[in-house]
Amino acid sequence: MAQPHKLGLLAAALLLLANANAAYANSEKNLLTGHSTPMESSLAFQFFDLASQQAAVANSTGIQLARSSEPRGTYDDALCDRDVARIRDAIHNMEEWALEFPDTWGRLPMGFFWGHLISMGQYEECVAATATYGSELNGQYCLARLNITQFYSKVKRRHEEFSRINYKQTDPEIFELGVCVPSTCSAEKTDALLKYAIAHLYGNDVIDLSFPMVQQKWCKYNAPVELRGVDIFAIVFFSLIIFFLLASSVYDFVQTRKGAPKRPLFLAFSVLHNAPKIFTVKKVNNPNVIHCLNGLRCFSMMWVVFGHGYMTFYDLPHINRNKFYTWVQTPYSMLVQNGSLCVDTFFFMSGLLMCWGAFREMERTKGKLNIPMMYFHRYIRLTPVVAVVVLYIMSLYRYSGAGPMWFKLGTQDQRCADTWWATLLYVQNYAFPYSICVSQSWYLAVDTQLYFLSPLFLIPLYKWGKKALIPIGIFGILCLGCTVATFLHNDFTLFRVQDDHVDLRQRLTYYPTHTRIPTWLIGVIFGYFLFTRNRGRQIPLARHWVITGWVLAFGTMLADMWGPFWRILPDTPDSPLIEGALFEPLSRSSWALAIGWIVWACYNGHGGLINDFLSWGFFTGFSRLCYCMYVIHRIVQLVNAARLQTDTHFSDYDAILRWWHDFGITLTLSIFATLAFEAPILGIEKAIFGRGDAKPAPKKPAAVESEKTAPIIEQSADIAPATNGVEQVPEVEPIASRAEDPSKA
């Protein structure tokens, strides 16, 4: 009985040796530099031959190459071996269903030395591949990660003749390859088979075979959708919202046709009632309304989407990915690298509007603020849209896309699994700075925390006037010093792209509330003087001083944006740490001062064409969507990027095309979100609390007698905070109002 066993073992060994020799004879096509075809000479084709041979040897000797430890019941090593053999036989028989398996594999590689380190293959074809042998045989797509450090260490590099910024460019370590195997093969089994095939085709000195190539989280096959409880809740919730929109709109239409009175609560969800509040623009000829803020808000919002778009754009599978290292030395890249300045515009406006609205309320109530109600209104007006986005991420987000890039970018729901509650409490910037659920919501957290702290500044300012400016100014300077000290202590560099600890830098200098207080306080102080000294009238200024102010403002903004550009050029020495430590906080504050001049000049009639443009009625309507756009835009960008299944090209033109793509979808969804969530909340709030029913104050204020007793003046709801008890202007509907900062970016 032993003799036949030995003969079988010998035959299997000879068969394996013959195939290995044939593979080596053909291996002029190196794994990472040579040409490959989808047929016999490719890794994809040879994989099924070698995997079947390995299974035959294992069955003869009783030795398994790998045992699956995966918990999922669909995986079975014996069935995997059987299905691989069936695919191999059908391939040799030129059956189309089987040829689809190697056809869907990624090809090795194209543009490798320009940073193209992924070959995705054809995901949809793989997961759709199927055949019937009495039982189903289905395809499973896996994105394998091959450690190529051994190969790249043999490459003789070009040196000084190739000019490139290289402070962040490192040797590639991982090449990602799309593979298609039977759905019965576990990730562990596929990993072992792939390593076996690579070792026999290309040897052991090209790929680090000790590195795990295939992981379960990066494998996917078609499986029946199993809805979780949160998924069912989300479907029911969104269905109810649509029902409310339809029912309320029908009620509005019917009552209008009848000429019958309407109940405000029943109109809360009416599209017919709320849509005109978004799209109808009525020019308020009132010197007390700061129209230019709408333009500043809208441009800053577009800049936010633009900057975040580049962050996602960089992660796409570019065939020329290394182009990034020369792109960062272009002046155009400064719009992205210093794009965070647009956030300081919003913090400035937030402080200004907070002070203006609070002073109006305290004048009406003789110096009192209803702080609990102020906090309550702030929370219920901001949170619904945020909560809906969190619900979507934790439920239906996972069904929004699939594919190789989804493995890499479609992980937002995992970030929310443990951190969603911090987002709804607006403490995520401190509680989970490395895994914020809605990544851009750090701003909402900072702004909300500043809102809760605002009475500490507003009440002293109202009661003591300029005397309170001294301690407030000292506090702001201390916060600036704290940021400078943090930079120096942690050796943070001038540019983020130069920093080796970007996540730590974000946690310590970008997300914390205390690092944003100086810019916000500049807005508060500016709002104080604008309200007490300037409201309702225009201050004349000599032409030469107006020109000087505009030159200084634009010069400051240009210096903040492009001043450090020369430091990033390849032949420029690195900046000292103190330069980066001073530039980061001072650029934020100086930017806010420049924005302050623009607001003051436009408010006082010194803005000319700039004021006409920023005050354009189009921006008034657009600004009413800015809050929803801010909350929604990042998830739109991530979904659009994660759904990609083909290679892309890195260039500014391609990035702008993608920006328009993302911006258009975000705008559309923001209109729906405003009508379905934000506007109804404002309507319900008005129906219950009666906010907005008070008659407007006189348009022309009386003479200012003191800093604290000036009469209430009219202020557009587009500008005034909506959470501090301020009466709304009847000709501008409440939908235009937003917490204390309408822009929220």
Side-chain angles (χ1 to χ4, degrees), residues 29-71:
K29 314 169 186 59
N30 190 281
L31 173 64
L32 292 170
T33 59
H35 171 72
S36 66
T37 71
M39 299 307 292
E40 293 186 1
S41 61
S42 70
L43 172 63
F45 186 94
Q46 294 293 331
F47 171 84
F48 292 98
D49 271 340
L50 292 171
S52 299
Q53 293 162 15
Q54 184 277 327
V57 172
N59 291 334
S60 300
T61 60
I63 301 175
Q64 287 288 337
L65 187 67
R67 286 285 182 183
S68 174
S69 59
E70 301 291 344

Side-chain angles (χ1 to χ4, degrees), residues 221-491:
Y221 62 91
N222 278 339
V225 175
E226 298 180 1
L227 294 177
R228 304 163 299 166
V230 66
D231 302 331
I232 297 173
F233 173 80
I235 293 172
V236 172
F237 173 78
F238 287 117
S239 299
L240 285 174
I241 291 296
I242 294 175
F243 170 77
F244 290 153
L245 291 173
L246 293 173
S248 184
S249 299
V250 170
Y251 169 81
D252 188 8
F253 177 77
V254 171
Q255 295 298 99
T256 301
R257 292 291 297 270
K258 290 181 178 180
K262 305 171 186 178
R263 296 186 178 182
L265 196 60
F266 292 173
L267 292 177
F269 284 87
S270 172
V271 176
L272 301 177
H273 180 71
N274 292 327
K277 300 177 184 180
I278 301 175
F279 301 109
T280 302
V281 176
K282 296 180 180 179
K283 184 71 173 180
V284 181
N285 294 318
N286 188 332
N288 301 298
V289 177
I290 313 176
H291 294 289
C292 67
L293 287 183
N294 290 323
L296 291 172
R297 183 182 306 122
C298 294
F299 274 106
S300 297
M301 185 67 248
M302 290 188 284
W303 195 1
V304 167
V305 178
F306 176 78
H308 286 164
Y310 260 96
M311 291 169 56
T312 306
F313 187 63
Y314 172 72
D315 291 327
L316 300 186
H318 300 303
I319 59 175
N320 60 335
R321 187 184 179 90
N322 284 355
K323 187 78 172 178
F324 169 80
Y325 296 101
T326 54
W327 174 81
V328 294
Q329 72 181 27
T330 63
Y332 181 83
S333 72
M334 292 295 105
L335 290 171
V336 179
Q337 297 193 62
N338 289 327
S340 61
L341 290 172
C342 64
V343 178
D344 296 295
T345 301
F346 288 125
F347 279 119
F348 170 83
M349 290 194 295
S350 175
L352 187 160
L353 298 171
M354 167 66 71
C355 183
W356 188 287
F359 271 36
R360 288 184 63 189
E361 175 68 6
M362 285 190 284
E363 279 192 339
R364 189 178 67 85
T365 59
K366 298 181 179 180
K368 296 181 180 179
L369 277 178
N370 189 343
I371 294 177
M373 188 58 68
M374 186 176 85
Y375 292 165
F376 171 76
H377 286 298
R378 159 80 185 198
Y379 187 81
I380 65 170
R381 289 196 172 190
L382 281 191
T383 307
V385 177
V386 177
V388 167
V389 172
V390 171
L391 174 62
Y392 164 74
I393 292 174
M394 296 184 66
S395 58
L396 304 182
Y397 171 77
R398 61 166 54 193
Y399 308 111
S400 301
M405 292 304 296
W406 195 267
F407 298 143
K408 298 158 64 69
L409 299 178
T411 58
Q412 200 70 15
D413 54 336
Q414 300 172 21
R415 295 163 65 97
C416 285
D418 299 321
T419 67
W420 61 269
W421 61 268
T423 301
L424 298 182
L425 293 178
Y426 301 103
V427 295
Q428 63 270 38
N429 60 324
Y430 286 111
F432 299 101
Y434 295 127
S435 57
I436 297 176
C437 176
V438 183
S439 58
Q440 75 279 17
S441 67
W442 70 269
Y443 172 86
L444 301 180
V446 173
D447 202 42
T448 300
Q449 291 161 22
L450 289 173
Y451 186 90
F452 275 68
L453 293 174
S454 63
L456 299 178
F457 304 97
L458 298 174
I459 294 175
L461 263 180
Y462 183 81
K463 290 185 176 181
W464 301 319
K466 290 186 291 185
K467 295 179 181 178
L469 291 177
I470 296 176
I472 290 176
I474 293 174
F475 182 71
I477 293 173
L478 290 176
C479 290
L480 279 174
C482 180
T483 304
V484 172
T486 302
F487 263 76
L488 294 175
H489 178 73
N490 294 277
D491 297 337

Side-chain angles (χ1 to χ4, degrees), residues 88-127:
R88 176 205 58 189
D89 295 340
I91 288 175
H92 289 304
N93 197 35
M94 296 298 291
E95 297 182 31
E96 182 180 2
W97 72 266
L99 291 172
E100 288 180 348
F101 280 84
D103 183 51
T104 62
W105 280 49
R107 303 295 181 253
L108 302 172
M110 176 183 67
F112 175 81
F113 293 103
W114 267 55
H116 187 216
L117 300 175
I118 183 172
S119 184
M120 295 181 283
Q122 230 292 20
Y123 169 84
E124 289 186 351
E125 182 183 5
C126 175
V127 297

